[in-house]
């Protein structure tokens, strides 16, 4: 009830407050945000909220256009400049902003547009990969799987495509393809990226997974963390990190790096939790996810892998 009353009050008061501030500062809300908020998540969040709450028909039309091209994954290196220029031009005209008098606004606002709709496009792309099932008849899929083995177990050859050796890196059975059902090819791409881009960290985590007392199934846990990373991406929690970390249009690389951080940190959290057995996995993962969400609630948060190595 209180939230309904607040939203009602906000709906009627917001236009008046914006009018008052515009006439006292001689700047529109978007200008005040771009000049007053720190770059990254604080500024981008505020711009996003301001745009979504706008009642201006031109702004609402712009949002529908940007949503559509992001959903179609049509923001590319080739198309991005034209998209940003059109977005900036629409806002300059609609908000009566003189680009000569305010030369910094276009760059600041354009960066926010790049992050907001790059993030939306990233969500679409990740979900598409999740829905792509692992296909053993697909040479690319098979190549990625074999690459994962070579990266994690460089000194040992597979006896065959289907073998109990896969259990050495944490798959459940003799054929890993069945373990990718929930996360599709996204789960495999995450694992390969971690092993390829952070080999020392991946080897470190793999060694922990083989601990005689606190060990766990490396690949299965990795796939579970793909699910967690995707959940945080889709509910918007990951915006804080990605808005702060991305210097350009957020792509699948941003998601892979977010995943790598989660995997590396979860490994440490698991060991520190000293679980008595794997039955504690769900509760420990839930606590870990709550900690990550709490960190992401701080708009200055940006995650980086700490490559400290221990001897546990």
């Amino acid at each position: 009830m209180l939230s309904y009353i607040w939203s009602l009050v906000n709906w009627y008061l917001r236009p008046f407050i914006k009018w008052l501030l515009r006439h006292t500062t001689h700047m529109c809300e978007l200008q005040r945000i771009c000049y007053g908020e720190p770059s990254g998540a604080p500024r981008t969040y505020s711009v996003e909220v301001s745009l979504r709450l706008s009642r201006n028909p031109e702004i609402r039309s712009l949002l529908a256009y940007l949503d559509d091209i992001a959903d179609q994954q049509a923001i590319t290196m080739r198309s991005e400049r034209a998209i940003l220029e059109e977005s900036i031009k629409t806002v300059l005209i609609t908000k009566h902003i003189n680009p000569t008098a305010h030369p910094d606004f276009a760059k600041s606002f354009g960066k926010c547009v790049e992050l907001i709709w790059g993030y939306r496009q990233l969500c679409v792309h990740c979900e598409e990969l999740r829905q792509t099932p692992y296909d053993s008849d697909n040479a690319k899929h098979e190549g990625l799987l074999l690459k994962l083995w070579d990266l994690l177990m460089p000194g040992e050859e597979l006896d065959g495509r289907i073998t109990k050796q896969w259990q050495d890196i944490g798959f459940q059975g003799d054929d890993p393809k069945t373990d990718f059902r929930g996360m599709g090819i996204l789960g495999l791409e995450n694992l390969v990226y971690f092993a390829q881009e952070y080999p020392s960290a991946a080897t470190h985590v793999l060694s922990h997974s083989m601990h005689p007392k606190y060990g766990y199934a490396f690949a299965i846990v990795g796939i579970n963390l793909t699910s967690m990373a995707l959940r945080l991406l889709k509910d918007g929690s990951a915006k804080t990190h990605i808005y702060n970390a991305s210097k350009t249009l957020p792509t699948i690389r941003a998601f892979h790096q977010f995943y790598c951080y989660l995997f590396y940190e979860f490994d440490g959290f698991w060991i520190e939790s000293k679980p008595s057995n794997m039955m504690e996995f769900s509760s420990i993962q839930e606590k870990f996810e709550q900690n990550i969400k709490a960190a992401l609630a701080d708009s200055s948060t940006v995650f980086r892998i700490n490559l400290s190595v221990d001897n546990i």
Side-chain angles (χ1 to χ4, degrees), residues 17-30:
I17 294 172
K18 287 177 65 178
W19 176 86
L20 183 63
L21 289 172
R22 172 133 202 176
H23 281 75
T24 54
T25 65
H26 304 290
M27 292 188 293
C28 70
E29 184 176 56
L30 289 174

Side-chain angles (χ1 to χ4, degrees), residues 50-78:
S50 177
L51 290 172
R52 292 296 180 190
L53 290 176
S54 177
R55 304 179 199 180
N56 184 287
E58 283 78 16
I59 296 296
R60 296 190 71 82
S61 177
L62 172 64
L63 299 190
Y65 161 72
L66 291 171
D67 286 348
D68 184 56
I69 59 174
D71 291 345
Q72 294 180 37
Q73 300 182 59
I75 307 175
T76 64
M77 290 181 65
R78 181 173 294 181

Side-chain angles (χ1 to χ4, degrees), residues 113-275:
V113 171
E114 179 182 51
L115 292 173
I116 294 165
W117 279 275
Y119 186 95
R120 183 183 180 103
Q121 180 170 271
L122 176 59
C123 290
V124 174
H125 184 45
C126 286
E127 179 58 23
E128 186 179 81
L129 290 173
R130 186 197 70 80
Q131 292 182 18
T132 303
Y134 184 92
D135 182 2
S136 55
D137 293 326
N138 185 313
K140 183 179 178 182
H141 292 185
E142 286 285 285
L144 272 177
L145 182 59
L146 294 174
K147 183 177 184 179
L148 177 65
W149 175 267
D150 290 339
L151 288 167
L152 293 175
M153 306 291 281
E156 184 178 339
E157 290 188 13
L158 283 171
D159 295 335
R161 167 60 182 77
I162 298 177
T163 169
K164 291 186 182 298
Q165 288 172 285
W166 289 113
Q167 295 175 35
D168 295 342
I169 58 172
F171 286 103
Q172 290 182 346
D174 298 353
D175 190 348
K177 73 176 184 180
T178 59
D179 292 328
F180 293 112
R181 286 196 191 117
M183 287 294 109
I185 203 66
L186 180 64
L188 176 56
E189 286 195 3
N190 273 166
L191 286 167
V192 170
Y193 188 93
F194 184 38
Q196 180 171 274
E197 298 300 319
Y198 299 97
S200 61
T203 301
H204 176 62
V205 172
L206 181 62
S207 68
H208 274 186
S209 75
M210 297 175 180
H211 190 277
K213 187 173 182 180
Y214 304 129
Y216 55 85
F218 176 91
I220 297 301
V221 167
I223 293 169
N224 270 277
L225 290 172
T226 293
S227 178
M228 174 183 161
L230 185 60
R231 186 163 56 250
L232 294 172
L233 185 79
K234 292 169 72 174
D235 72 12
S237 299
K239 284 180 179 179
T240 305
H241 164 73
I242 290 180
Y243 285 171
N244 285 329
S246 300
K247 304 302 180 186
T248 57
L249 183 76
T251 64
I252 190 63
R253 181 172 177 270
F255 180 74
H256 286 323
Q257 290 181 325
F258 178 56
Y259 165 85
C260 291
Y261 172 85
L262 294 179
F263 202 164
Y264 188 78
E265 291 299 318
F266 177 78
D267 171 70
F269 188 79
W270 173 265
I271 296 295
E272 288 173 8
S273 299
K274 293 182 169 53

